[in-house]
Amino acid sequence: MNKADKVIAKTYTRFPIVITKGNGCSLWDTQGKKYMDFVSGIAVCNLGHAHPKVSEALSKQADVLLHVSNLYYTEPQIELAYRLTQNSFADRVFFCNSGAEANEAAIKLARKYFNDKGEKERYRIVTMEKSFHGRTMATLSATGQEKIRKGFEPVLEGFDYIPFNDIDALRKSIGPSTCAVLLEPIQGEGGVRCPDPDYLKAVRRLCDETDVLLIFDEIQTGMGRTGKFFAYEHFGIEPDIMTLAKALANGLPIGAMLASEEVAEAFGPGAHASTFGGTPIITAASVQVVKVLLEENLIHHCATMGAYFKERLSELKAKHESIVDVRGMGLLLGMKLKIDGGTIVNSCMEKGFLINCIQGNVLRFIPPLIVEKEEIDALVACLDEILG
Ligand SMILES: *Cc1c(COP(=O)(O)O)cnc(C)c1O
């Protein structure tokens, strides 16, 4: 760790453990200490660590072909795009390597779509306060959090931030230069903030009335995390564009931007590109992720465990004054505290549980979707002791 602190960029405040291996919901450090993982590499390892089907797909693919570029077709990429479009609103997929890149692609596509229609003045995108869309220049510009843009000005022009869950604010913010509304169906980094009932339906209606594109950032909420394959399925609506990353390959770097045929049309040859996007080694793993999620009842398990977990956290709330709110869907759960969350995270780690704190006072629980009741009970007992 001393060595690390000399050679690794200081962009993260790290916890003082070195993790060497994982299995299912468990992780081990160099001291041999075991942890129950309620972070999943930030909502990434949805199938748990060292999933045998992912490992097998990776080693098989590694033996035959890692990469050839997008100048050629490769089978795993076709297979993945097919499965994603078959199981979503979308008709086409653009592959890249991270969440930020997927959102970059979405922002470019929304602008290009209206540009192609001869409506060049329509380039502005409405986004939400407390949103998180990434750390590249365009995506930090889209992000409705001052602290993330600070120091990097001038940010990219053309983003209008409004409060989440405020349909009147949205109505007022959409003007003749608006091309899209970009939002997370449930705000992740912003504090696990859920939409009010019918809010997203109203957003969709407003976008339809004003001919504005609706972009869902499902980088955190997608891939079964909320108890549906994609979070939008809870709300009886569909976006025009959706971005994915995090859990898409259970820990390997991948991003994807999905769009309806009409919108995807605006990305012709040369409009956008990524050298590594959809490379065979990673898409081979991702195909297995999609298969396991959809064919092994895992999403239903996530919904059941999520409901149980939320119930148990609500019991804690009834017991401990320091808990303000319990919220979230599926296994994307948050618990807002009156006190600093950082010390709770540290105490949990000492007791062998990894959890995460966002916005200073919201504990976020995002375990692998394979988590079982016993593991949830163990964490709840640990939290009960610490808070008491
Ligand atoms: C993590 C995240 C991103 C950024 O993804 P990176 O892969 O870190 O670039 C964007 N949007 C949401 C909702 C996220 O949770």
Side-chain angles (χ1 to χ4, degrees):
M1 281 185 272
N2 287 338
K3 195 164 153 192
D5 290 341
K6 291 200 181 80
V7 293
I8 298 174
K10 297 181 184 176
T11 52
Y12 281 89
T13 314
R14 290 174 204 259
F15 293 97
I17 57 172
V18 181
I19 297 172
T20 50
K21 74 173 184 184
N23 196 283
C25 294
S26 302
L27 290 169
W28 286 266
D29 70 10
T30 39
Q31 311 295 309
K33 181 170 172 176
K34 183 180 170 181
Y35 301 88
M36 258 180 219
D37 184 10
F38 283 79
V39 178
S40 307
I42 316 185
V44 167
C45 303
N46 282 10
L47 307 189
H49 301 282
H51 193 283
K53 291 198 176 153
V54 176
S55 305
E56 191 197 337
L58 270 176
S59 52
K60 267 196 183 155
Q61 188 62 40
D63 284 341
V64 291
L65 188 68
L66 296 182
H67 176 83
V68 288
S69 89
N70 286 302
L71 298 174
Y72 315 99
Y73 294 100
T74 58
E75 284 166 351
Q77 183 183 119
I78 300 166
E79 177 72 17
L80 180 59
Y82 181 76
R83 284 178 186 265
L84 289 175
T85 53
Q86 283 293 300
N87 291 288
S88 73
F89 74 94
D91 303 302
R92 289 183 189 275
V93 188
F94 171 82
F95 289 110
C96 49
N97 313 284
S98 67
E101 275 179 78
N103 283 334
E104 285 273 348
I107 292 163
K108 285 181 70 174
L109 181 64
R111 285 189 173 189
K112 183 76 164 37
Y113 172 76
F114 285 104
N115 202 282
D116 283 3
K117 292 215 279 185
E119 299 179 61
K120 292 193 167 62
E121 71 291 349
R122 284 182 81 160
Y123 68 92
R124 303 193 69 83
I125 298 179
V126 178
T127 67
M128 303 295 147
E129 289 167 10
K130 295 213 167 109
S131 59
F132 182 76
H133 300 297
R135 299 287 196 152
T136 62
M137 278 311 300
T139 58
L140 75 80
S141 306
T143 293
Q145 298 189 56
E146 186 75 40
K147 66 174 192 218
I148 285 179
R149 300 192 299 265
K150 201 165 171 273
F152 301 104
E153 298 89 351
V155 299
L156 183 67
E157 210 261 326
F159 293 95
D160 300 307
Y161 318 110
I162 59 161
F164 186 55
N165 270 332
D166 184 340
I167 200 70
D168 287 330
L170 181 61
R171 191 173 293 115
K172 283 185 198 126
S173 70
I174 293 179
S177 58
T178 307
C179 71
V181 175
L182 163 62
L183 55 77
E184 301 152 82
I186 298 172
Q187 293 190 332
E189 307 303 310
V192 191
R193 297 171 75 222
C194 293
D196 292 338
D198 295 332
Y199 171 67
L200 293 176
K201 260 196 179 136
V203 171
R204 176 73 267 183
R205 204 175 312 126
L206 210 48
C207 287
D208 288 341
E209 283 165 17
T210 51
D211 193 22
V212 160
L213 297 176
L214 179 56
I215 308 171
F216 277 176
D217 177 342
E218 292 234 23
I219 290 165
Q220 189 157 154
T221 55
M223 309 308 291
R225 174 57 58 188
T226 68
K228 299 266 187 197
F229 194 28
F230 302 114
Y232 75 79
E233 297 168 31
H234 289 287
F235 305 104
I237 49 148
E238 292 177 345
D240 303 296
I241 301 173
M242 171 171 75
T243 52
L244 300 175
K246 290 200 162 83
L248 185 50
N250 209 50
L252 294 141
I254 184 171
M257 185 212 47
L258 292 77
S260 64
E261 182 67 37
E262 194 212 335
V263 178
E265 200 62 41
F267 263 7
H272 197 44
S274 169
T275 298
F276 287 130
T279 204
I281 184 72
I282 294 179
T283 45
S286 181
V287 165
Q288 289 306 312
V289 172
V290 173
K291 262 177 116 164
V292 171
L293 278 174
L294 295 177
E295 292 168 15
E296 296 185 12
N297 210 26
L298 201 49
I299 297 176
H300 180 251
H301 180 78
C302 166
T304 312
M305 288 303 117
Y308 177 74
F309 198 172
K310 198 172 176 186
E311 180 70 38
R312 298 291 334 261
L313 291 173
S314 301
E315 284 167 31
L316 284 184
K317 177 172 175 272
K319 216 169 140 186
H320 299 282
E321 274 246 319
S322 52
I323 303 173
V324 184
D325 191 24
V326 170
R327 58 208 189 196
M329 293 177 87
L331 288 166
L332 174 54
L333 295 174
M335 189 161 85
K336 190 171 178 182
L337 305 174
K338 270 184 208 152
I339 53 172
D340 168 54
T343 53
I344 310 291
V345 172
N346 290 332
S347 305
C348 279
M349 181 179 265
E350 252 168 55
K351 294 175 186 295
F353 295 90
L354 302 185
I355 62 167
N356 167 247
C357 176
I358 41 182
Q359 305 290 326
N361 62 355
V362 181
L363 301 181
R364 179 172 49 174
F365 307 105
I366 36 180
L369 310 187
I370 56 171
V371 74
E372 294 292 347
K373 274 187 181 172
E374 298 71 46
E375 291 156 322
I376 292 167
D377 288 342
L379 174 69
V380 169
C382 169
L383 287 168
D384 192 15
E385 194 186 326
I386 293 167
L387 291 165

